[in-house]
Amino acid sequence: MAGVRRRDRHGRGLRGPLAPAQAPFSRTRAERFDDLVRDEVRRLGRRWGRELARVEFAVEEVPPVEPWFDGPVPLAQTRPGTEGPPVRIVIFRRPVEARAAGERETGRLVRDLLVEEIADLLGLSPESVDPSYDSPDE
């Protein structure tokens, strides 16, 4: 019986995707988190574009920590650039999602982390980088 297509054992036929690729809920958590960081970087870049021109932003799953590390897990990190690569601000997705209670709180935490890292990089207070820093409303 080579070449015969069979239905699944319940007779429903071949399964396809549950939702079209354009639907918001068809995106993975990692893709939604990347979008969240990208939107926040774009928002901050409108005000600080010139100062952030040589800064690269990235999302990584987890921070690189040693197995014997005994301290709070970093949520973000600024990696200094050497002669070639630019300064890199990294947001760690899994620790941020573990710390936040929902999508709204994740967004606020990402905003505050980026503002803190940028403020530290520019030598400014977080409130001067973004007046909405540390406020409960977005």
Side-chain angles (χ1 to χ4, degrees):
M1 288 193 147
V4 175
R5 283 183 79 173
R6 294 187 180 266
R7 298 173 80 99
D8 68 354
R9 66 188 184 110
H10 298 289
R12 294 187 191 113
L14 301 174
R15 298 290 177 138
L18 296 176
Q22 309 87 312
F25 62 88
S26 69
R27 298 183 52 80
T28 65
R29 279 191 337 203
E31 290 171 333
R32 289 192 309 265
F33 191 87
D34 290 347
D35 291 343
L36 181 66
V37 172
R38 188 177 305 113
D39 291 345
E40 197 59 38
V41 167
R42 193 175 300 129
R43 185 184 72 81
L44 290 167
R46 284 195 292 265
R47 181 170 182 194
W48 300 98
R50 189 171 353 132
E51 292 84 351
L52 300 177
R54 299 259 316 134
V55 177
E56 183 178 279
F57 295 88
V59 174
E60 292 181 9
E61 289 294 305
V62 294
V65 294
E66 301 298 329
W68 57 84
F69 178 75
D70 186 30
V73 175
L75 302 177
Q77 184 179 59
T78 299
R79 297 179 183 159
T82 56
E83 294 193 21
V87 172
R88 189 170 205 209
I89 295 177
V90 181
I91 303 294
F92 300 111
R93 181 178 74 84
R94 305 265 315 226
V96 169
E97 287 179 338
R99 180 83 48 95
E103 285 190 33
R104 181 179 214 112
E105 191 173 334
T106 301
R108 192 169 60 245
L109 187 55
V110 165
R111 177 196 66 199
D112 289 350
L113 288 168
L114 284 170
V115 168
E116 288 168 4
E117 295 296 320
I118 291 170
D120 189 46
L121 184 67
L122 299 177
L124 300 170
S125 71
E127 292 81 9
S128 64
V129 171
D130 184 8
S132 68
Y133 170 75
D134 205 22
S135 69
D137 301 325
E138 286 193 52

